[in-house]
Amino acid sequence: MKKSEIYFSIALDEQRVPEAISWRATDAGEKIHFAKAINISLWDRDEAGTMKIDLWTKDMPIDEMKYFYIDTIGAMAQSIATATSDKIMADKMRALCEDLMGHVEEERKKQNN
């Protein structure tokens, strides 16, 4: 059986707030990648429930955080379509993304005026 591993490293300040997030994957070589935020969700086999890890660095701007979550929901829509063939659920998630993008763009326009 082939094995693949993903490693995350989180640098914390004195108050345990993330200052830097890096990651690497064995299938992607030894290159270290950097991120401003991570959102990991796991379905726990024994608990039959979701376990989550959400972290973001101090320098993650609020507008980028909103785009990050919209992108995440969009990716989940594709995953649910692929995994379950539930087109209705995937389409509703995509529609939510479009609605949220409209909201974020409207906020951006208000801030620029």
Side-chain angles (χ1 to χ4, degrees):
M1 176 169 76
K2 184 173 176 5
K3 184 177 178 181
S4 180
E5 295 178 339
I6 301 171
Y7 299 93
F8 291 96
S9 179
I10 315 298
L12 305 172
D13 69 9
E14 307 79 41
Q15 288 79 39
R16 301 180 50 86
V17 175
E19 289 188 322
I21 299 170
S22 61
W23 66 275
R24 69 179 182 81
T26 55
D27 283 356
E30 292 298 314
K31 183 177 180 196
I32 296 173
H33 303 269
F34 293 91
K36 289 183 182 178
I38 60 172
N39 176 322
I40 303 169
S41 297
L42 307 163
W43 184 261
D44 187 277
R45 181 187 312 196
D46 297 327
E47 297 294 322
T50 302
M51 309 286 286
K52 287 179 46 53
I53 300 171
D54 295 307
L55 297 171
W56 54 91
T57 59
K58 296 179 195 182
D59 66 338
M60 179 70 165
I62 290 172
D63 61 331
E64 286 184 23
M65 180 66 85
K66 291 178 181 183
Y67 288 121
F68 171 61
Y69 276 97
I70 293 168
D71 286 349
T72 300
I73 294 167
M76 290 183 341
Q78 183 57 50
S79 293
I80 199 73
T82 302
T84 68
S85 299
D86 190 333
K87 183 176 177 351
I88 292 172
M89 189 170 179
D91 287 346
K92 286 183 178 196
M93 293 171 77
R94 289 183 185 110
L96 174 61
C97 289
E98 289 178 25
D99 187 43
L100 292 172
M101 279 301 294
H103 166 70
V104 170
E105 293 301 321
E106 193 63 35
E107 277 188 335
R108 177 179 264 177
K109 285 179 189 175
K110 286 178 185 175
Q111 289 176 353
N112 289 338
N113 288 334

